[in-house]
């Protein structure tokens, strides 16, 4: 699915792809009412590039915003999945990035840095997130949440849960791998 159609408005698009080819979706300069990446995989290659206008963007699996300049009303990220952000993207109304307790953290990482610029009336529901190299700007910052601070973050107040040290033992993978 490749689109760069500045004069086209897609009211509702659901995209599903469970393969590993990273260039399957190259979406830039396009307007969507609702864009949902439906593949629930933790290794999904769902991504959008830059300069899109999207009323509601939802990732049901892992995902990437690889270019800046996206204007998004509502961004919904599924819990316990990994998300990568590049450039500056605007969130006008709502960000949801929550993982349930003890289910694996949702990861939000800038590549190399990612900025979410929040509109004046935006709200953010963030909980149990592992965050690295992310910046939040706008009137609602700093945004406080419980999670893990991997460093390089600005505009967030990350409260780490008290507990004992945890160690990764053997094999490759990450903290969100199933037992």
């Amino acid at each position: 699915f490749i689109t760069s159609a500045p004069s086209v408005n897609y009211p509702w698009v659901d995209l599903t792809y469970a393969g590993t080819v990273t260039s399957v979706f190259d979406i830039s300069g396009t307007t969507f009412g609702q864009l949902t990446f439906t593949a629930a995989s933790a290794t999904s290659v769902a991504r959008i590039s830059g300069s899109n206008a999207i009323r509601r963007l939802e990732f049901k699996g892992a995902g990437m915003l690889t270019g800046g300049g996206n204007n998004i009303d509502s961004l919904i990220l599924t819990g316990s999945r990994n998300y990568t952000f590049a450039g500056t993207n605007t969130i006008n109304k709502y960000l949801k990035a929550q993982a349930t307790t003890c289910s694996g953290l949702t990861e939000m990482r800038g590549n190399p840095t990612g900025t979410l610029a929040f509109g004046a009336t935006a709200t953010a529901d963030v909980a149990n997130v592992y965050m690295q190299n992310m910046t939040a700007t706008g009137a609602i910052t700093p945004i406080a949440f419980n999670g893990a601070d991997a460093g390089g973050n600005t505009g967030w107040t990350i409260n780490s849960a008290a507990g004992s040290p945890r160690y990764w033992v053997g094999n490759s993978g990450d903290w969100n791998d199933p037992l």
Side-chain angles (χ1 to χ4, degrees):
F1 185 86
I2 299 173
T3 180
S4 180
S7 62
V8 176
N9 182 353
Y10 298 99
W12 184 326
V13 175
D14 289 340
L15 296 173
T16 300
Y17 176 72
T20 59
V21 177
T22 60
S23 61
V24 170
F25 304 117
D26 186 11
I27 301 168
S28 62
T30 306
T31 300
F32 294 92
Q34 178 173 317
L35 175 59
T36 303
F37 291 96
T38 61
S41 169
T43 59
S44 170
V45 293
R47 70 180 184 151
I48 65 170
S49 296
S51 302
N52 296 290
I54 306 170
R55 283 194 0 250
R56 183 177 193 275
L57 174 60
E58 181 175 3
F59 290 94
K60 294 191 181 257
M64 297 174 266
L65 279 74
T66 61
N70 291 299
N71 191 332
I72 303 164
D73 281 349
S74 296
L75 175 60
I76 304 357
L77 307 176
T78 296
S80 304
R81 297 292 184 257
N82 300 342
Y83 300 95
T84 304
F85 298 83
T88 298
N89 295 284
T90 300
I91 308 296
N92 295 309
K93 295 180 181 179
Y94 181 64
L95 167 67
K96 179 181 179 184
Q98 297 180 334
T100 57
T101 303
C102 297
S103 67
L105 299 175
T106 298
E107 294 186 17
M108 294 175 66
R109 296 176 187 252
N111 183 22
T113 59
T115 298
L116 296 179
F118 289 91
T121 61
T123 59
D125 290 329
V126 181
N128 299 316
V129 171
Y130 176 93
M131 186 174 284
Q132 182 178 38
N133 297 329
M134 292 293 299
T135 297
T137 63
I140 70 168
T141 62
I143 298 167
F145 67 93
N146 294 328
D149 187 346
N153 301 304
T154 304
W156 309 91
T157 301
I158 304 169
N159 304 306
S160 296
S164 59
R166 303 284 188 230
Y167 302 94
W168 188 265
V169 180
N171 297 331
S172 63
D174 72 31
W175 293 105
N176 290 327
D177 286 346
L179 296 176

